[in-house]
Amino acid sequence: MERKISGGGEFVNQAFDSTGDNETSFSGNGNGVSNGDHRAVRASVVSAFGHDTLDRVPHIDLYRNAGSISGHRAVRPSLQELHDVFQKVCVLVLLPDTLADDEESSEGFPSDDLESAVPVEKKKGGPIKFGWIKGVLVRCMLNIWGVMLFIRLSWVFGQAGWGELHVIIVLGLIQLSDICMGICVYLFFDLCNVFFPGLGIVVILLSCVVTTITGLSMSAICTNGIVRGGEKTLYHHNTIAITSKPLGGAYYLISRSLGPEFGGSIGLIFAFANAVAVSMYVVGFAETVVQLLVDYDSIMVDPLNDIRIIGCITVVLLLGISLAGMAWEAKAQIVLLVILLAAIVNVFVGTFIPATETKKTQGFFNYQANIFMENFTPDFRGAESFFSVFAIFFPAATGILAGANISGDLKDPQAAIPKGTLWAILITGITYLAVALSVCTYHIQSEDCNGPSVAACELGYNFSSCVTNPDSCKFGSMHNFQVMTMVSGFGPLIIAGTFSATLSSALASLVSAPKVFQALCKDNIYTALHFFAKGSGKNNEPIRGYVLTFLISVAFILIGDLNVIAPIISNFFLASYALINFSCFHASYAKSPGWRPAYKFYNMWLSLVGAVLCCVVMFVINWWAALLTYGIEILLYIYVTVKKPNVNWGSSTQAVTFVSAVSNALSLSGIEEHVKNFRPQIIVLTGSVRTRPALLDLAHSLSKTYGLCLTSEVFVGPRWKVLQEMNAGMEKNQLWLHKNKRKAFYTAVASDDFRQGADALLQSSGLGRLKPNILMMGFKRDWRSADTQAIKNYVGVLHDAFDFEYGTLVLRVPQGLDMSQFVEEEGGCIIMSPSHKLTDQPKVSNPPPPQEAKINDMLLEASTQFQKKQSKGTIDVWWLFDDGGLTLLLPYILTTRKKWKDCKLRIFVAGQPGRTEQDKEDMKTLLIKFRINCSDINVIDDLHIGPKSDNWKAFEDMIEPFRLHEGGKDKARSEALREESPWMITDEELSSFEEKTNLQVRLNELLREKSSSANLIIVSMPIARKESVSDHLYMAWLDTLTKNLPPTLLIRGNHKSVLTFYS
């Protein structure tokens, strides 16, 4: 749209709907005489304000869509029409077309940098450190070669069998005589075994798949930077080294990847799972001891209570070894590993020794092809199924985090954890498969000659008694848990190996659980658990954690049944593994530049498959236990989310949040703005976020959950002087906003003067649709004593805001906004000090101490007035000029806030004498269409009346120091005075704007009369035309309009609709 100015200086809006009510011309000289071009304006505008103006009073027609069938759409004047320099010559000025709606426009501090830590010299007698073999490989193998290897592995394959397709291959081999064909079929057998394994092999392979994927994910996470472990020097200053020893295994990996919410919840569950695992391994050990007591008829009470007694005694001894320190624990692990390896070798040696008659009567016949065939099918008994068997076996594979759990005791956790863990998975997986397949080749399952034990009958042995009396059956892998002892070359060595496997795993879990728990407590995510963060000795041993783990272990040992304890642990470990895999996927998916793992043999989608697999297996094993596990996780997650611990670990959750924010911002940029989606996005000139709390609080109330709030500060001075202060305050101010729950951002610029800095903020702040559309600032109370340049800058910022089509808000409170004299810094904390004296306040000129203290208290109370719940009262809205609806929308938003919900809206509008009821009804109709409730509508029909003489005299006294008084002087002298003081108010200017000046004085009279008891007053802000109204006269208008009133907010929208009554 173009705006043309005729020779007579009249404005013509080409887009104006000429079918409006009345027509009144507005000429450049203000005489109301038309030169041929007319602009349709409601006649009440002129009579309401007492002078010609382009401003429109609020009316329903201004909010209609183009082509509305219910009424003609009127067009309000644009902001440029009201604000631009008044042109008296014919020019063409391009203006936006306002006809079309679519064209209206703890210890986890962020600064902990371990990679930059200054190393200190190592001293003798320091903490013990382990390499990848002793610290990770040995521990993982001992933990994986646990109770299941010697006590339950034969039972697992007795229940699940080893393979179904294999019978076809074996039968084929028996019938083939050609050796070459036999070799080919054997190779085909191996290939089929890979792709079509039996259920027993599936149990082991599924466990290995889960642990391998988890190991790959864990390796990627561990090698993405320094793993927090060991005595790391945080800084070294004046020969004082401050060290930290965070541990945590799975907790550390998940928390530093996904954040404290996930890490905190899984940390507790994982520590608890390790504590329960101690009881499982100890019960397995006790079962073996009780079996020996049964064999030698030495039962103390009964088998169940003997398991409990032996288990409790054992865990006490293990606790003693753990409390002796990591050195003793490591030595014990090596001894146990040697015994365990010897026992495993002993099993294979025994299979080649010819079976004795006694062994044959118990189902052992050395390697037999027909027994191998017989054991291929599953034979689940009772309530057992594939997944119940898997649930019992899976804890055998859960030792992969044994090395990561003691990351603080490793020399190089980043290199040791991946290498040791993956090698341990490979070695133990092969071992389990070899031992299991060996058992299936030489040992029967059980039952009679007509059932699965046909092979035994063919060899001359009948085990039919297992059918007639299954409770007393001791034959076959189904019923005899000590098969490994029977078939070995030297039985006592198997018993020693069982002891070694169970005790080593129990010892590893007993060490892991307290260290994971200590790491969790050190981060102080759960403040109630910080008691357990304290360590003792040079290795910072978690003594308190050991005691807690001991108590949990004893409680579960009293259950006394390995098959009951194992599934409980399976769910907890699977939940931990699911989150480790998800952590790797999440970090990869976020595509953060900080995600650069040195270990490359991982895949984000494989990690996701691993996470889903863990979750599915959890629910298939036991759906209610899985629901319980995740229910606990969710509750802990919610707790941490609500508490918001003060930690920043650069988690992938933050990275994904950033990616989502950018993606959403880009999506918004591609969507055309619509009036229904208007949100107040406010840039607030607060200075430091602490210095004008009332201004910030009101802006926050307007924007919270609705829009954007950007607090801003201009550092005035040479850049090299102010840059350091500005940069230092960036993070401090943003942290203050976060700590005080202000949903706002902080930004700052350095500039040579205030206006240039504010201009830069107005032009460059924001991103896409997340760009401020409202400028909010405080009223400059000291304008009469300030220097000319300061006034010019202040008013210039308002001019710039109008030029950039910002809605503009100016807040004035009687006591003032600037609380910088009260802000103190004590130990890095910003506080408001009531005792601080304000001797340099503008209105305080050395009063007596009691009076000064009283004034200070009033200022402090005023600074927090918008933080409190507002008492019952009103928000008075003086909607005098139609600015697009912003003057009405913002107070409505306030009434939706909890602090302002007891305040009712009262609407005041300008009206024509004799049309009061009609104007009131029009406004009522408009508010109903906007669906905005108000308690009262007042039509002011006497705005055109001149102000009282004493009030006018007060205004003249206010501007007297700034008047030029050139009217009584000759022309030359007048011109000289104007050139000498161009900023002063001339007699000509005062005469030209006498009506508008009268309006401000008169409005103040009415405001004091009708709104003096309001909680907040909202008033349409007058606009000063550039190069027509001097800065001091404009400040006098604002001052006069708002003086001696409750908190007052001047509002002027950008004259584009922010309200609509269309759906």
Side-chain angles (χ1 to χ4, degrees):
M1 187 194 81
E2 295 181 344
R3 184 185 68 182
K4 297 182 179 180
I5 302 178
S6 64
E10 182 183 356
F11 284 98
V12 179
N13 190 339
Q14 300 287 343
F16 187 72
D17 187 351
S18 59
T19 60
D21 305 278
N22 303 317
E23 294 185 353
T24 303
S25 65
F26 290 84
S27 65
N29 54 17
N31 58 13
V33 178
S34 171
N35 291 325
D37 293 320
H38 292 78
R39 180 186 183 89
V41 180
R42 288 180 63 218
S44 60
V45 174
V46 179
S47 57
F49 298 106
H51 68 282
D52 293 349
T53 177
L54 292 181
D55 262 321
R56 303 293 307 277
V57 295
H59 192 268
I60 189 173
D61 290 343
L62 297 169
Y63 296 88
R64 298 189 186 277
N65 284 342
S68 171
I69 61 174
S70 59
H72 295 288
R73 177 173 182 253
V75 180
R76 70 182 63 89
S78 69
L79 194 62
Q80 288 83 2
E81 288 181 285
L82 294 172
H83 183 242
D84 278 354
V85 177
F86 197 79
Q87 311 262 353
K88 291 192 176 182
V89 294
C90 184
V91 294
L92 286 176
V93 182
L94 292 177
L95 290 175
D97 186 356
T98 58
L99 243 183
D101 282 346
D102 57 0
E103 292 182 17
E104 289 189 349
S105 304
S106 84
E107 293 184 16
F109 293 107
S111 58
D112 289 351
D113 186 358
L114 298 178
E115 294 180 85
S116 61
V118 180
V120 293
E121 294 182 1
K122 294 183 179 180
K123 297 181 179 180
K124 294 182 179 180
I128 304 299
K129 297 295 176 185
F130 306 113
W132 74 274
I133 295 178
K134 197 173 181 181
V136 182
L137 179 65
V138 170
R139 290 177 183 279
C140 288
M141 288 195 303
L142 284 172
N143 221 17
I144 297 172
W145 282 333
V147 63
M148 299 299 169
L149 180 61
F150 295 113
I151 297 180
R152 289 294 187 275
L153 186 60
S154 59
W155 176 86
V156 167
F157 271 69
Q159 293 280 350
W162 66 269
E164 297 184 13
L165 184 63
H166 295 81
V167 68
I168 302 173
I169 307 302
V170 172
L171 288 174
L173 284 172
I174 293 173
Q175 296 174 2
L176 290 173
S177 58
D178 186 90
I179 296 178
C180 293
M181 182 62 71
I183 294 174
C184 293
V185 174
Y186 181 76
L187 292 175
F188 176 71
F189 162 85
D190 279 348
L191 186 62
C192 290
N193 185 44
V194 174
F195 293 101
F196 302 95
L199 295 184
I201 295 178
V202 169
V203 170
I204 294 179
L205 290 184
L206 183 58
S207 301
C208 289
V209 166
V210 171
T211 55
T212 301
I213 294 175
T214 306
L216 294 174
S217 300
M218 183 179 65
S219 299
I221 297 173
C222 286
T223 58
N224 188 51
I226 300 296
V227 175
R228 292 283 296 268
E231 293 287 340
K232 294 289 185 179
T233 302
L234 298 185
Y235 64 86
H236 188 264
H237 181 64
N238 293 336
T239 72
I240 298 176
I242 294 188
T243 59
S244 172
K245 186 186 177 183
L247 308 163
Y251 161 70
Y252 177 80
L253 297 178
I254 296 171
S255 63
R256 269 54 177 182
S257 181
L258 290 180
E261 296 85 1
F262 283 104
S265 58
I266 204 62
L268 275 180
I269 290 177
F270 187 69
F272 181 75
N274 273 281
V276 178
V278 175
S279 64
M280 183 189 73
Y281 297 125
V282 169
V283 167
F285 167 79
E287 275 191 9
T288 304
V289 176
V290 169
Q291 184 62 44
L292 290 175
L293 295 179
V294 171
D295 292 343
Y296 291 97
D297 196 20
S298 301
I299 291 293
M300 295 179 285
V301 183
D302 58 66
L304 179 60
N305 284 307
D306 283 7
I307 288 175
R308 293 168 177 167
I309 294 170
I310 295 170
C312 291
I313 295 172
T314 304
V315 79
V316 170
L317 296 176
L318 293 176
L319 178 64
I321 296 174
S322 301
L323 293 177
M326 290 299 297
W328 282 95
E329 189 265 350
K331 292 175 182 177
Q333 294 280 26
I334 293 297
V335 173
L336 293 173
L337 178 64
V338 172
I339 296 173
L340 185 56
L341 290 173
I344 293 172
V345 172
N346 185 40
V347 170
F348 289 104
V349 170
T351 61
F352 291 99
I353 298 175
T356 63
E357 189 65 24
T358 302
K359 290 185 178 181
K360 289 181 180 180
T361 59
Q362 296 180 19
F364 171 62
F365 298 96
N366 294 107
Y367 291 104
Q368 298 289 336
N370 52 353
I371 293 178
F372 190 57
M373 288 168 43
E374 206 170 70
N375 286 335
F376 86 98
T377 56
D379 188 17
F380 297 113
R381 304 294 177 90
E384 302 298 345
S385 65
F386 169 79
F387 288 102
S388 67
V389 172
F390 176 81
I392 293 172
F393 174 80
F394 185 74
T398 57
I400 63 171
L401 296 177
N405 289 340
I406 62 161
S407 57
D409 297 298
L410 301 176
K411 294 178 182 177
D412 184 6
Q414 190 180 19
I417 293 174
K419 187 188 298 184
T421 302
L422 293 175
W423 272 107
I425 293 172
L426 177 63
I427 294 171
T428 55
I430 293 173
T431 304
Y432 271 114
L433 281 173
V435 172
L437 291 175
S438 177
V439 170
C440 292
T441 308
Y442 57 66
H443 199 273
I444 64 169
Q445 287 175 310
S446 70
E447 298 292 341
D448 65 330
C449 294
N450 297 319
S453 32
V454 174
C457 293
E458 291 176 354
L459 295 171
Y461 293 88
N462 190 336
F463 297 99
S464 298
S465 60
C466 287
V467 178
T468 58
N469 191 11
D471 293 334
S472 62
C473 181
K474 299 180 181 179
F475 311 124
S477 54
M478 286 283 197
H479 305 290
N480 186 2
F481 292 153
Q482 303 298 327
V483 168
M484 299 300 180
T485 303
M486 178 187 64
V487 303
S488 65
F490 181 59
L493 186 57
I494 294 299
I495 296 174
T498 304
F499 290 171
S500 173
T502 53
L503 294 179
S504 63
S505 298
L507 192 58
S509 296
L510 187 58
V511 170
S512 298
K515 290 185 178 292
V516 172
F517 194 58
Q518 183 189 33
L520 174 65
C521 297
K522 274 181 174 292
D523 285 333
N524 205 22
I525 293 177
Y526 303 103
T527 53
L529 302 177
H530 194 64
F531 171 80
F532 295 96
K534 182 178 175 58
S536 303
K538 62 185 180 182
N539 263 29
N540 197 32
E541 296 295 341
I543 304 299
R544 297 172 180 177
Y546 280 127
V547 174
L548 180 62
T549 303
F550 168 76
L551 295 176
I552 295 173
S553 302
V554 170
F556 279 85
I557 285 172
L558 296 179
I559 296 176
D561 189 347
L562 187 64
N563 289 4
V564 173
I565 300 173
I568 298 174
I569 302 172
S570 293
N571 263 300
F572 288 149
F573 279 114
L574 281 167
S576 304
Y577 294 170
L579 278 179
I580 290 176
N581 285 304
F582 184 73
S583 298
C584 182
F585 165 77
H586 202 262
S588 302
Y589 178 77
K591 293 181 173 60
S592 171
W595 174 249
R596 302 183 305 276
Y599 187 83
K600 301 299 183 182
F601 302 101
Y602 76 95
N603 181 274
M604 61 181 286
W605 300 111
L606 184 62
S607 297
L608 180 61
V609 169
V612 173
L613 180 62
C614 290
C615 294
V616 170
V617 171
M618 281 180 65
F619 280 95
V620 174
I621 288 176
N622 191 325
W623 65 268
W624 63 263
L627 287 177
L628 179 63
T629 302
Y630 280 108
I632 294 172
E633 281 187 26
I634 291 171
L635 289 176
L636 294 173
Y637 178 90
I638 293 173
Y639 173 83
V640 178
T641 303
V642 171
K643 288 295 182 180
K644 291 183 175 62
N646 186 26
V647 294
N648 181 11
W649 295 325
S651 66
S652 60
T653 303
Q654 297 171 350
V656 169
T657 301
F658 178 84
V659 171
S660 299
V662 173
S663 177
N664 291 334
L666 291 172
S667 298
L668 282 175
S669 298
I671 300 174
E672 194 172 351
E673 287 186 0
H674 194 282
V675 61
K676 289 194 296 184
N677 292 327
F678 174 85
R679 291 175 178 269
Q681 302 187 130
I682 307 174
I683 181 169
V684 196
L685 297 179
T686 58
S688 172
V689 294
R690 298 171 290 274
T691 55
R692 291 173 178 81
L695 185 64
L696 174 59
D697 292 335
L698 187 59
H700 183 253
S701 295
L702 292 170
S703 63
K704 181 182 178 183
T705 72
Y706 275 91
L708 173 72
C709 184
L710 185 64
T711 62
S712 53
E713 183 173 9
V714 178
F715 288 84
V716 179
R719 181 178 297 181
W720 62 273
K721 282 187 178 181
V722 300
L723 201 58
Q724 184 176 1
E725 180 186 358
M726 183 183 74
N727 292 337
M730 284 288 190
E731 185 175 354
K732 186 197 301 183
N733 282 285
Q734 190 62 54
L735 289 175
W736 187 92
L737 290 170
H738 179 74
K739 182 178 179 181
N740 289 272
K741 299 180 180 179
R742 298 292 186 271
K743 295 183 178 180
F745 301 96
Y746 171 81
T747 188
V749 294
S751 181
D752 292 334
D753 65 52
F754 176 73
R755 184 178 181 181
Q756 287 182 3
D759 184 75
L761 288 169
L762 291 174
Q763 293 188 71
S764 60
S765 296
L767 181 70
R769 295 286 190 215
L770 298 178
K771 181 177 177 61
N773 50 29
I774 296 173
L775 168 68
M776 186 173 183
M777 56 196 303
F779 178 70
K780 189 172 181 60
R781 296 175 68 238
D782 64 343
W783 69 272
R784 281 180 281 180
S785 60
D787 61 81
T788 305
Q789 186 60 40
I791 302 301
K792 183 178 180 181
N793 285 339
Y794 181 85
V795 177
V797 171
L798 295 176
H799 285 305
D800 293 338
F802 294 139
D803 285 339
F804 299 139
E805 295 190 339
Y806 274 75
T808 307
L809 280 60
V810 175
L811 175 65
R812 181 175 187 176
V813 296
Q815 297 83 2
L817 294 168
D818 191 356
M819 297 290 115
S820 57
Q821 291 85 354
F822 287 85
V823 178
E824 294 181 351
E825 188 165 343
E826 288 188 356
C829 300
I830 305 300
I831 63 170
M832 299 294 288
S833 173
S835 62
H836 197 77
K837 303 301 181 184
L838 266 181
T839 57
D840 54 350
Q841 281 291 313
K843 289 191 175 182
V844 180
S845 54
N846 300 323
Q851 183 181 354
E852 181 181 347
K854 183 178 180 180
I855 293 175
N856 290 344
D857 291 340
M858 292 175 61
L859 290 172
L860 282 172
E861 185 176 356
S863 70
T864 59
Q865 61 183 313
F866 298 130
Q867 297 175 12
K868 305 171 184 175
K869 181 175 174 58
Q870 302 296 307
S871 59
K872 287 187 178 180
T874 63
I875 299 176
D876 287 359
V877 182
W878 290 68
W879 194 17
L880 305 176
F881 312 120
D882 192 297
D883 58 354
L886 188 67
T887 305
L888 180 62
L889 177 63
L890 294 185
Y892 164 74
I893 290 175
L894 278 181
T895 61
T896 65
R897 303 304 186 193
K898 187 176 181 181
K899 294 176 183 176
W900 294 85
K901 68 176 184 177
D902 293 332
C903 296
K904 304 298 183 182
L905 290 182
R906 289 200 305 172
I907 309 298
F908 295 82
V909 294
Q912 181 181 2
R915 288 192 52 181
T916 302
E917 291 303 321
Q918 180 63 40
D919 289 338
K920 184 175 182 178
E921 193 63 30
D922 289 347
M923 178 53 63
K924 183 178 179 181
T925 302
L926 179 60
L927 292 177
I928 291 173
K929 287 184 174 291
F930 284 153
R931 303 169 304 284
I932 293 178
N933 297 323
C934 69
S935 62
D936 192 17
I937 298 175
N938 295 273
V939 177
I940 309 300
D941 58 2
D942 55 353
L943 278 173
H944 60 282
I945 299 175
K948 296 177 181 178
S949 58
D950 56 339
N951 292 328
W952 180 255
K953 179 65 167 59
F955 176 79
E956 288 183 327
D957 292 341
M958 178 189 295
I959 65 173
E960 181 62 31
F962 314 108
R963 292 191 62 179
L964 194 61
H965 290 294
E966 85 290 2
K969 300 177 176 60
D970 58 57
K971 186 176 181 180
R973 178 58 180 160
S974 297
E975 292 297 330
L977 287 174
R978 288 176 179 175
E979 290 181 3
E980 182 181 345
S981 303
W983 52 271
M984 297 190 75
I985 305 172
T986 65
D987 293 341
E988 181 183 354
E989 175 190 2
L990 200 57
S991 176
S992 299
F993 294 99
E994 180 179 0
E995 290 178 335
K996 199 163 187 178
T997 303
N998 287 339
L999 176 62
Q1000 313 313 317
V1001 181
R1002 175 59 179 158
L1003 270 174
N1004 181 257
E1005 293 176 353
L1006 293 170
L1007 285 165
R1008 283 185 288 161
E1009 175 188 340
K1010 299 180 181 296
S1011 298
S1012 58
S1013 61
N1015 295 59
L1016 178 67
I1017 300 175
I1018 308 289
V1019 187
S1020 294
M1021 183 166 61
I1023 292 182
R1025 200 175 285 278
K1026 288 187 296 186
E1027 298 182 18
S1028 296
V1029 180
S1030 63
D1031 297 336
H1032 283 79
L1033 179 58
Y1034 187 48
M1035 290 302 301
W1037 285 355
L1038 300 182
D1039 196 348
T1040 299
L1041 178 60
T1042 59
K1043 71 178 181 179
N1044 300 325
L1045 293 173
T1048 303
L1049 184 65
L1050 299 174
I1051 298 181
R1052 176 65 76 151
N1054 65 357
H1055 285 242
K1056 296 180 181 180
S1057 292
V1058 298
L1059 290 171
T1060 182
F1061 47 78
Y1062 293 98
S1063 60

